[in-house]
Amino acid sequence: MKIRVICVPSIQNHHAMKLNFSKISILAAAIFIFGCHKTEEPPVENPEYQAGGATTVFDFFSDAFEQPAANLSADEIARHLDGDVAFGSIFVTAPAQINSGLGPIFNQNSCESCHGKNGRSAFPENLAADPGGLLFRVSLPGSGTHGEPVALPGFGGQLQTKAVWGTAPEVKVDVVWQEEIRQFVDGKTASLRRPTFSFSNSYIPFPAGAMVSPRLAPPVFGLGLLENIPAKNLLAAADPNDADGDGISGKANQVWDVLKNEMAVGRFGWKAGQPNVLQQSAAAYLNDMGITNPIFKNEHSAGQPQNDTLADDPEIDLPTLELAAFYSQSLGVPAPRDLENVDVAAGKILFEKTGCAKCHTPKQQTEAAEFSFLENQTFYPYTDLLLHDMGENLADHRPEFLADGKEWRTPPLWGIGKGKLVNGHTDFLHDGRARNLSEAILWHGGEADAARSNFEKLSEKKRGQLIRFLEAL
């Protein structure tokens, strides 16, 4: 693989101000953001190096998840940079002239506080002090008008562990870990950890019968491509009744599109509970930061003693929300590395033979799209975006629209091997229990029982090759 090195000055703290560029200076600024790093040129004979189609960026450095799509126009780069500012904005207590309206109860004060460097959150070092990018969805048994979870009285749909001055957080969270040993067929062992969460210091008694689901913040690059996979393709790949008898019965979630006032295929979130990037962003503003917006206009704390009584809603306007969404839609997808390596190539074959690729579908395509840079792209996210029963060990026992308490959306695998470089950790799964990719596979159950069992039967060398393939993505 050819490597060329680009060294240019970096913009320091480019979130600190909103930048306005002419078309010429836009391109120069985009280069400055990249800093000094390696840019790799892929072998043209392997299309999988184009993980994000024409949006792919061939940069392997600690900011690899923060690069704009490679095929943006000058105007789109300008909009992307404005979106970057919106995504990085830190909100403060109202009233304030800039970024007003935080809380009054919240989890974090900016998008980046959960999605650090646009990557996957680590399990927090001190959960009781600061949950970081870990949050807890809550609800009562049953479903709402459109099949959505039923809000927990006094707590809503998500626990808020922080509050502005003079206001009580909803609850304090802590965790206890239980280790268990799993044995491979060759006699080697692995130690797995299982979390048990507890809640204390709640501002009112925590309701009995509450269903709780821990969720770590996932990466945000490549969302524009996933959003534009035709719904017909996702539905065609679904097999809810396992008609082909292969043990895999993926199904598409059907969720409520607020702006269109209709049901739509779910794509985003751990249970595919949101239909598009705009609504996903709006829900995060409201639930994670307490920021009302044109899609979700009522405070998360409405009806609670902590409710914000200031008449400043909505606290962000539609253009700001659209900018933040565009930022995620227009991020470049990092290219894989070393796919021609002997062990990586062997690991790819094992990935398919063990059955992993039945859910982690390698290739997807877009057709028409709102933005031309996302149109007619062939890309390799390694997901079918469908819901699958992952077994009792990973169950949260909390339904979300059509997703039951054991079902989770197949997470994309692109960029998964760069997480340690970018975010400094290798925590995986919805609650961060897996400390590496091997542990993540060992936790698979339900529809993934056969694939996990096949992995356990591999020799230590072959297990290493499969992991090496994942690390190359």
Side-chain angles (χ1 to χ4, degrees):
M1 180 180 293
K2 296 180 180 178
I3 297 178
R4 54 192 174 89
V5 177
I6 300 175
C7 292
V8 294
S10 296
I11 291 179
Q12 298 298 318
N13 193 22
H14 63 275
H15 295 307
M17 63 183 70
K18 184 173 182 177
L19 306 175
N20 294 310
F21 297 95
S22 68
K23 289 186 177 181
I24 295 176
S25 62
I26 288 166
L27 296 175
I31 294 174
F32 286 142
I33 290 175
F34 297 159
C36 181
H37 60 278
K38 294 180 179 179
T39 296
E40 302 177 352
E41 298 177 356
V44 295
E45 65 272 12
N46 190 338
E48 288 206 32
Y49 276 103
Q50 301 284 343
T55 75
T56 307
V57 290
F58 296 90
D59 302 292
F60 188 72
F61 71 132
S62 60
D63 292 333
F65 298 163
E66 298 183 87
Q67 306 310 303
N71 59 339
L72 298 183
S73 68
D75 288 340
E76 288 165 342
I77 290 176
R79 182 169 173 79
H80 175 90
L81 293 174
D82 283 343
D84 194 356
V85 173
F87 194 83
S89 293
I90 297 174
F91 286 86
V92 297
T93 306
Q97 291 185 337
I98 300 175
N99 298 338
S100 177
L102 177 67
I105 50 176
F106 60 99
N107 295 114
Q108 295 294 348
N109 61 2
S110 73
C111 303
E112 288 188 345
S113 296
C114 290
H115 304 280
K117 305 186 81 171
N118 298 335
R120 186 179 62 259
S121 288
F123 192 92
E125 293 183 3
N126 188 338
L127 176 58
D130 186 353
L134 180 68
L135 56 84
F136 295 84
R137 297 283 170 80
V138 291
S139 57
L140 288 178
S143 59
T145 304
H146 307 295
E148 73 276 11
V150 177
L152 191 65
F155 294 87
Q158 184 170 308
L159 297 181
Q160 270 76 35
T161 55
K162 297 181 180 180
V164 300
W165 186 85
T167 301
E170 288 183 326
V171 71
K172 179 180 178 181
V173 185
D174 214 335
V175 64
V176 174
W177 295 100
Q178 179 183 355
E179 295 280 340
E180 54 188 80
I181 302 299
R182 189 74 59 85
Q183 188 171 39
F184 296 103
V185 173
D186 64 6
K188 301 291 184 179
T189 60
S191 179
L192 304 183
R193 63 175 186 173
R194 183 191 301 270
T196 299
F197 297 99
S198 60
F199 306 97
S200 61
N201 295 345
S202 57
Y203 83 106
I204 61 173
F206 198 68
M211 297 185 294
V212 182
S213 180
R215 312 276 180 92
L216 272 178
V220 297
F221 59 82
L223 302 191
L225 291 168
L226 299 177
E227 182 177 40
N228 284 284
I229 301 171
K232 64 181 182 182
N233 293 10
L234 300 177
L235 295 172
D239 185 16
N241 299 313
D242 192 19
D244 60 8
D246 67 351
I248 306 299
S249 52
K251 69 183 183 186
N253 207 348
Q254 294 290 333
V255 304
W256 186 245
D257 187 315
V258 176
L259 291 181
K260 291 184 178 180
N261 198 36
E262 64 184 22
M263 301 301 291
V265 171
R267 299 168 186 262
F268 301 109
W270 281 99
K271 287 182 179 278
Q274 296 293 352
N276 53 60
V277 178
L278 185 67
Q279 187 166 309
Q280 169 74 16
S281 301
Y285 270 112
L286 180 73
N287 296 322
D288 301 347
M289 294 178 278
I291 302 298
T292 53
N293 54 76
I295 295 182
F296 298 107
K297 301 175 183 179
N298 296 321
E299 295 282 356
H300 186 276
S301 59
Q304 299 178 205
Q306 313 101 314
N307 189 38
D308 186 351
T309 58
L310 293 174
D312 61 347
D313 297 333
E315 291 156 334
I316 58 170
D317 57 18
L318 185 59
T320 301
L321 178 60
E322 290 174 335
L323 276 177
F326 183 79
Y327 177 67
S328 295
Q329 292 165 322
S330 59
L331 281 168
V333 174
R337 309 179 79 228
D338 302 326
L339 295 182
E340 70 280 5
N341 176 279
V342 173
D343 286 330
V344 172
K348 177 177 171 56
I349 294 172
L350 291 168
F351 182 84
E352 295 168 350
K353 284 185 174 181
T354 54
C356 300
K358 288 186 175 182
C359 298
H360 291 283
T361 307
K363 184 168 72 172
Q364 297 285 357
Q365 291 179 299
T366 66
E367 293 179 1
E370 179 182 359
F371 305 111
S372 60
F373 65 89
L374 297 171
E375 289 184 342
N376 301 314
Q377 298 296 321
T378 298
F379 57 102
Y380 298 85
Y382 284 83
T383 178
D384 57 9
L385 292 186
L386 299 178
L387 299 170
H388 295 276
D389 183 336
M390 294 300 292
E392 184 62 34
N393 278 330
L394 290 180
D396 67 349
H397 302 294
R398 180 181 179 273
E400 188 170 340
F401 294 98
L402 296 185
D404 68 27
K406 294 183 180 180
E407 291 177 322
W408 299 94
R409 184 203 69 162
T410 306
L413 298 182
W414 51 11
I416 199 168
K418 298 178 177 67
K420 186 172 183 180
L421 173 66
V422 174
N423 297 114
H425 71 90
T426 56
D427 297 340
F428 297 103
L429 300 179
H430 66 282
D431 56 9
R433 68 177 67 187
R435 293 162 291 194
N436 53 58
L437 289 167
S438 181
E439 287 186 23
I441 296 171
L442 292 175
W443 276 114
H444 282 49
E447 295 174 45
D449 266 334
R452 186 207 66 249
S453 178
N454 290 336
F455 177 72
E456 291 173 332
K457 294 173 184 176
L458 295 176
S459 67
E460 185 174 16
K461 177 181 179 180
K462 289 185 176 180
R463 293 197 303 272
Q465 289 174 328
L466 196 155
I467 298 301
R468 180 73 179 85
F469 164 67
L470 293 175
E471 291 173 340
L473 294 178

